[in-house]
Amino acid sequence: MIIIDADACPSIKLIEDTAKKHQIKTLICSDPNRILNSDYSKIIYVDQGNDSVDLYIANTVKKDNIVITQDYGVATTVLAKEAYAINPKGLIYDDSNIDSLMLSRHMNKRLRRQGFKIKGPKKRTKEDDVKLISNLENLIVKVQNKWYN
């Protein structure tokens, strides 16, 4: 299963098209502030509130699921459950990068509290979509190979 954290995920249609091509179930998780439509994915609206979508994903994800999220905390939980996590720009989270990403998040949060301005993410590009789909395809193949071996 592919689980999409709909918070700030602009590539839902691309992800669904890829899932459909591989006949993989897809679950889109959102709070009720977003209106989502899909003819393929199951859409789950969770209670509105801080981290409600993140908590739902953390409680739903199973081993070998693929989760698309930009939240490092969610990615950490996903990896702990022996599932896969990738962000909407195609970065695959794994044991080699998650600790440094979490540390960076922590340091940026501390700096913001001290009044420093922190730049946001770079503007999304077509190359980001290409990287996302390419790396998502690689993860799908990896998971399918585990199932059939």
Side-chain angles (χ1 to χ4, degrees):
M1 178 186 305
I2 294 175
I3 302 171
I4 302 170
D5 181 348
D7 294 344
C9 186
S11 305
I12 292 173
K13 180 72 173 126
L14 291 171
I15 295 163
E16 282 186 310
D17 290 346
T18 304
K20 193 183 295 188
K21 179 174 129 182
H22 292 277
Q23 300 176 345
I24 296 175
K25 291 180 183 178
T26 306
L27 177 66
I28 302 173
C29 303
S30 180
D31 65 36
N33 292 326
R34 284 190 73 175
I35 305 299
L36 299 168
N37 296 303
S38 176
D39 61 350
Y40 184 75
S41 300
K42 180 176 181 181
I43 299 172
I44 298 289
Y45 290 102
V46 299
D47 293 335
Q48 189 172 342
N50 281 353
D51 302 324
S52 58
V53 171
D54 301 344
L55 291 171
Y56 182 85
I57 292 171
N59 290 324
T60 302
V61 67
K62 305 262 188 280
K63 182 179 179 177
D64 293 330
N65 286 167
I66 298 171
V67 176
I68 291 89
T69 184
Q70 66 179 8
D71 187 298
Y72 301 153
V74 172
T76 300
T77 302
V78 167
L79 295 175
K81 292 193 169 195
E82 298 181 46
Y84 299 92
I86 182 172
N87 81 3
K89 289 188 174 187
L91 172 70
I92 297 174
Y93 301 109
D94 59 28
D95 292 337
S96 72
N97 63 17
I98 196 66
D99 288 338
S100 63
L101 292 168
M102 289 294 289
L103 178 61
S104 173
R105 180 177 86 162
H106 172 73
M107 296 305 292
N108 285 340
K109 189 175 186 179
R110 288 183 68 179
L111 289 170
R112 280 192 302 277
R113 272 195 235 134
Q114 294 174 8
F116 289 92
K117 299 279 186 207
I118 306 295
K119 279 188 171 184
K122 293 179 183 174
K123 191 172 183 173
R124 187 168 186 78
T125 65
K126 281 283 188 197
E127 290 78 21
D128 293 329
D129 287 340
V130 170
K131 182 178 178 184
L132 169 62
I133 298 310
S134 174
N135 285 343
L136 180 57
E137 294 258 358
N138 290 338
L139 286 177
I140 290 169
V141 168
K142 185 175 186 176
V143 169
Q144 287 177 334
N145 285 338
K146 285 174 77 174
W147 293 341
Y148 298 117
N149 287 333

Short mmCIF file of all heavy atoms in Angstrom, two decimals, residues 30-35 45-49 52:
data_model
loop_
_atom_site.label_atom_id
_atom_site.label_comp_id
_atom_site.label_asym_id
_atom_site.label_seq_id
_atom_site.Cartn_x
_atom_site.Cartn_y
_atom_site.Cartn_z
N SER A 30 -5.86 13.14 5.03
CA SER A 30 -5.95 14.60 5.08
C SER A 30 -6.82 15.02 6.25
O SER A 30 -7.61 14.23 6.77
CB SER A 30 -6.55 15.12 3.77
OG SER A 30 -6.66 16.53 3.79
N ASP A 31 -6.69 16.30 6.61
CA ASP A 31 -7.65 16.86 7.54
C ASP A 31 -8.80 17.42 6.72
O ASP A 31 -8.70 17.53 5.50
CB ASP A 31 -7.01 17.89 8.47
CG ASP A 31 -6.50 19.12 7.75
OD1 ASP A 31 -7.14 19.55 6.77
OD2 ASP A 31 -5.48 19.66 8.17
N PRO A 32 -9.91 17.77 7.35
CA PRO A 32 -11.09 18.19 6.58
C PRO A 32 -10.96 19.55 5.87
O PRO A 32 -11.86 19.94 5.15
CB PRO A 32 -12.21 18.24 7.63
CG PRO A 32 -11.60 18.02 8.94
CD PRO A 32 -10.19 17.63 8.76
N ASN A 33 -9.85 20.24 6.06
CA ASN A 33 -9.67 21.54 5.40
C ASN A 33 -9.36 21.42 3.92
O ASN A 33 -9.46 22.41 3.20
CB ASN A 33 -8.54 22.34 6.08
CG ASN A 33 -8.92 22.76 7.48
OD1 ASN A 33 -10.07 23.04 7.75
ND2 ASN A 33 -7.96 22.77 8.37
N ARG A 34 -8.98 20.26 3.46
CA ARG A 34 -8.70 20.05 2.04
C ARG A 34 -9.84 19.26 1.42
O ARG A 34 -10.34 18.31 2.02
CB ARG A 34 -7.40 19.25 1.86
CG ARG A 34 -6.17 20.08 2.09
CD ARG A 34 -4.93 19.35 1.69
NE ARG A 34 -4.83 19.29 0.24
CZ ARG A 34 -3.79 18.79 -0.39
NH1 ARG A 34 -2.77 18.31 0.28
NH2 ARG A 34 -3.75 18.76 -1.70
N ILE A 35 -10.21 19.65 0.23
CA ILE A 35 -11.20 18.90 -0.53
C ILE A 35 -10.44 18.08 -1.56
O ILE A 35 -9.76 18.63 -2.42
CB ILE A 35 -12.20 19.84 -1.24
CG1 ILE A 35 -12.86 20.80 -0.24
CG2 ILE A 35 -13.23 19.04 -2.02
CD1 ILE A 35 -13.65 20.12 0.85
N TYR A 45 -10.37 11.29 5.89
CA TYR A 45 -10.30 12.58 6.56
C TYR A 45 -10.25 12.32 8.06
O TYR A 45 -11.12 11.65 8.62
CB TYR A 45 -11.53 13.43 6.23
CG TYR A 45 -11.55 13.91 4.81
CD1 TYR A 45 -12.36 13.30 3.86
CD2 TYR A 45 -10.76 14.97 4.40
CE1 TYR A 45 -12.39 13.74 2.55
CE2 TYR A 45 -10.77 15.42 3.08
CZ TYR A 45 -11.59 14.79 2.17
OH TYR A 45 -11.60 15.22 0.87
N VAL A 46 -9.21 12.83 8.70
CA VAL A 46 -9.05 12.66 10.14
C VAL A 46 -9.48 13.95 10.84
O VAL A 46 -9.70 14.97 10.18
CB VAL A 46 -7.60 12.29 10.51
CG1 VAL A 46 -7.20 10.98 9.86
CG2 VAL A 46 -6.64 13.39 10.13
N ASP A 47 -9.62 13.88 12.14
CA ASP A 47 -10.00 15.07 12.90
C ASP A 47 -9.01 16.21 12.64
O ASP A 47 -7.81 15.98 12.46
CB ASP A 47 -10.03 14.78 14.40
CG ASP A 47 -11.13 13.82 14.78
OD1 ASP A 47 -12.14 13.76 14.03
OD2 ASP A 47 -11.00 13.14 15.81
N GLN A 48 -9.55 17.41 12.66
CA GLN A 48 -8.69 18.58 12.51
C GLN A 48 -7.91 18.76 13.79
O GLN A 48 -8.42 18.57 14.88
CB GLN A 48 -9.56 19.80 12.23
CG GLN A 48 -8.77 21.02 11.86
CD GLN A 48 -9.69 22.14 11.41
OE1 GLN A 48 -10.85 21.91 11.07
NE2 GLN A 48 -9.19 23.35 11.43
N GLY A 49 -6.64 19.11 13.65
CA GLY A 49 -5.82 19.35 14.84
C GLY A 49 -4.37 19.11 14.52
O GLY A 49 -4.02 18.50 13.51
N SER A 52 -2.77 15.51 13.57
CA SER A 52 -3.76 14.43 13.51
C SER A 52 -3.53 13.51 12.31
O SER A 52 -3.66 12.30 12.42
CB SER A 52 -5.18 15.01 13.49
OG SER A 52 -5.36 15.87 12.39
#
